[in-house]
Amino acid sequence: MEIKEVQSLKSEGLFSMVAELGHEQVVHCYDEATGLKALIAIHNTALGPSLGGTRMWNYASEQEALTDVLRLSRGMTFKAAISGLNLGGGKAVLIGDAKTMKTEAYLRRFGKFIQSLSGKYITAEDVNMNTADMEYISMETKYVTGLPESMGGGGDPSPVTAYGVYMGIKATAKKVFGTDDLGGKKIGVQGVGQVGSYLVERLVKENAKVTITDISEEKMKAIAKRFGVDTIDQDKIYDLDMDIYSPCALGASLNDDTIPRLKCALVAGGANNQLKEELKHGNMLLDRGIVYAPDFLINAGGVISVGNEFYGNYNRERVYRHTEKIYDTCLSILNLAEKEKITSQEAAIKMAEKRIEEVGKVRIPR
Ligand code: NAD
């Protein structure tokens, strides 16, 4: 499989896009009574059933929703593979307003569609979806994870995601500075939501000098007060004198405008799709000598958590032990990238594809 610049996809028709990205199946779901419009994309099931959250968004067009679901499900394939999970990549998007449309009937109808795929796709939370929504979906399908702890689930995966990001930062620091001790290191964290705030807590415990930013002034001030860290205006974070930049907000924060401004030695954060264009911006960082920890590897704690929940007998300690392996994997990827003179994102995808290729051949499909 060749690495594609997803963001520069030229095709717009479903079949040509699927042909470019290599999806196995894309399902359109419509229900007149509840107004449900959903797309489920199954990218690859060579290692196991496809798993990926459901995102609800008021997309400007169906094309936008389709592009999103295809791009995100492909990312899940690599994330599961690189994390050593026996899972494939999938994703679902619900087109509509999460504030007004999410009724019990709507969510259960969506659950029925998931059930009709007989386990080829397993869902979980993503943007604008929560554990309560998963409860309704679980009334119609067993192929759902990310359930509340009261139902035997793992609960909020964000603390596990933050732990994986922390492991990724330490591994990258080891590669760049020769030590993974973050004491005294100047770290800029963009976005102090679920993942960012748990991360800041760990960094502060290790005596790092943390500066945070967030578009929510209120949230930023509350977290700064709680952990005694500095704050900076949202756009100024890129010009901050820092050793480490940790993007934990939304995607595409590494782009033509921001990369030339960065003064850090490494970038390692929890946000998905940090590089606006994978190859172009990965190479821009490489040219500037800034080491980049691949996002889909170091933010995999969440999928490790929900994946373990799906296997059954959720065990928090086992989940954290699994997530800790991100440290070693990250170092291997950075070494491979250096050896082959490619970007770390390319090295990570290469490693994920190797596992899909090799293990996919020996695995007996269930
Ligand atoms: P969240 O919504 O709780 O937090 C995101 C924070 O970023 C919010 O506080 C928001 O105000 C802030 N923000 C948005 N745009 C910003 C900007 N331009 N500058 C500064 N701050 C900005 O979300 P989260 O669950 O913490 O997830 C954060 C990122 O990590 C997302 O990209 C998500 O896809 C990714 N991720 C999360 C998990 C998880 O377990 N929650 C797992 C894997 C990946």
Side-chain angles (χ1 to χ4, degrees):
M1 209 192 310
E2 190 194 331
I3 299 169
K4 301 274 168 38
E5 281 279 23
V6 183
Q7 291 87 345
S8 62
L9 265 177
K10 293 286 179 289
S11 353
E12 293 209 333
L14 170 64
F15 287 111
S16 41
M17 283 171 85
V18 163
E20 271 194 63
L21 296 177
H23 287 73
E24 289 178 13
Q25 193 177 357
V26 182
V27 185
H28 288 62
C29 316
Y30 176 63
D31 180 57
E32 196 177 357
T34 58
L36 175 86
K37 282 184 191 164
L39 295 172
I40 302 173
I42 297 168
H43 180 253
N44 189 295
T45 57
L47 295 177
S50 71
L51 186 148
T54 296
R55 172 171 293 193
M56 185 153 188
W57 199 256
N58 224 342
Y59 290 99
S61 66
E62 285 172 27
Q63 184 64 43
E64 197 187 299
L66 180 63
T67 307
D68 211 25
V69 80
L70 294 180
R71 190 177 54 91
L72 291 164
S73 52
R74 168 189 178 267
M76 290 306 298
T77 295
F78 297 139
K79 190 181 293 216
I82 200 91
S83 308
L85 292 164
N86 292 318
L87 290 167
K91 199 86 186 177
V93 295
L94 296 169
I95 305 171
D97 183 359
K99 286 201 187 90
T100 55
M101 290 180 70
K102 264 198 298 176
T103 60
E104 175 183 351
Y106 175 96
L107 292 164
R108 291 179 70 158
R109 187 69 191 89
F110 178 54
K112 265 202 146 117
F113 277 114
I114 295 173
Q115 183 64 20
S116 74
L117 294 169
S118 311
K120 271 176 90 176
Y121 169 68
I122 305 157
T123 200
E125 296 101 324
D126 196 68
V127 178
N128 286 327
M129 298 294 282
N130 55 42
T131 47
D133 300 330
M134 295 303 121
E135 270 190 75
Y136 280 130
I137 291 171
S138 76
M139 289 174 191
E140 303 299 335
T141 182
K142 57 184 175 183
Y143 303 113
V144 55
T145 179
L147 290 167
E149 285 167 275
S150 57
M151 289 181 72
D156 177 15
S158 311
V160 190
T161 302
Y163 181 63
V165 174
Y166 173 66
M167 285 294 115
I169 293 176
K170 279 179 91 62
T172 315
K174 175 85 181 155
K175 176 80 187 162
V176 175
F177 306 120
T179 169
D180 64 12
D181 183 359
L182 302 177
K185 289 278 178 291
K186 289 174 274 182
I187 307 180
V189 179
Q190 180 189 47
V192 282
Q194 298 277 70
V195 176
S197 56
Y198 283 114
L199 175 67
V200 168
E201 186 174 8
R202 288 192 179 272
L203 299 176
V204 167
K205 263 196 196 134
E206 206 173 316
N207 298 319
K209 289 186 184 152
V210 179
T211 302
I212 61 169
T213 191
D214 200 291
I215 44 168
S216 159
E217 185 92 9
E218 198 188 334
K219 209 184 271 186
M220 181 169 74
K221 282 190 176 149
I223 297 292
K225 193 170 165 208
R226 190 162 141 211
F227 298 113
V229 295
D230 292 335
T231 61
I232 191 165
D233 285 352
Q234 41 160 314
D235 193 50
K236 296 207 176 107
I237 186 96
Y238 305 109
D239 307 304
L240 183 71
D241 171 26
M242 56 189 166
D243 301 304
I244 299 167
Y245 167 50
S246 186
C248 295
L250 301 181
S253 84
L254 299 168
N255 53 49
D256 288 348
D257 168 46
T258 61
I259 295 173
R261 291 160 60 190
L262 290 175
K263 295 188 181 74
C264 56
L266 67 98
V267 178
N272 274 315
N273 305 316
Q274 291 166 30
L275 298 163
K276 189 164 184 212
E277 291 177 40
E278 272 174 13
L279 285 178
K280 179 182 178 193
H281 296 116
N283 275 311
M284 266 176 89
L285 286 171
L286 195 62
D287 291 345
R288 288 217 48 214
I290 298 173
V291 178
Y292 173 71
D295 49 9
F296 70 85
L297 164 73
I298 77 166
N299 72 15
V303 78
I304 292 171
S305 180
V306 293
N308 269 268
E309 181 183 323
F310 188 74
Y311 297 151
N313 300 321
Y314 188 84
N315 179 307
R316 199 163 298 279
E317 200 193 316
R318 192 175 61 211
V319 167
Y320 272 90
R321 255 191 282 125
H322 191 151
T323 306
E324 203 162 285
K325 292 183 189 159
I326 287 176
Y327 183 104
D328 289 339
T329 312
C330 189
L331 266 180
S332 310
I333 286 168
L334 297 178
N335 289 333
L336 177 68
E338 186 179 55
K339 190 171 141 228
E340 299 205 353
K341 296 186 176 45
I342 53 177
T343 69
S344 52
Q345 189 82 354
E346 286 173 284
I349 292 177
K350 204 170 172 174
M351 221 181 237
E353 284 176 341
K354 186 166 181 273
R355 178 161 181 260
I356 294 168
E357 191 81 15
E358 290 177 1
V359 181
K361 266 187 207 140
V362 297
R363 179 185 160 261
I364 301 165
R366 281 176 236 270

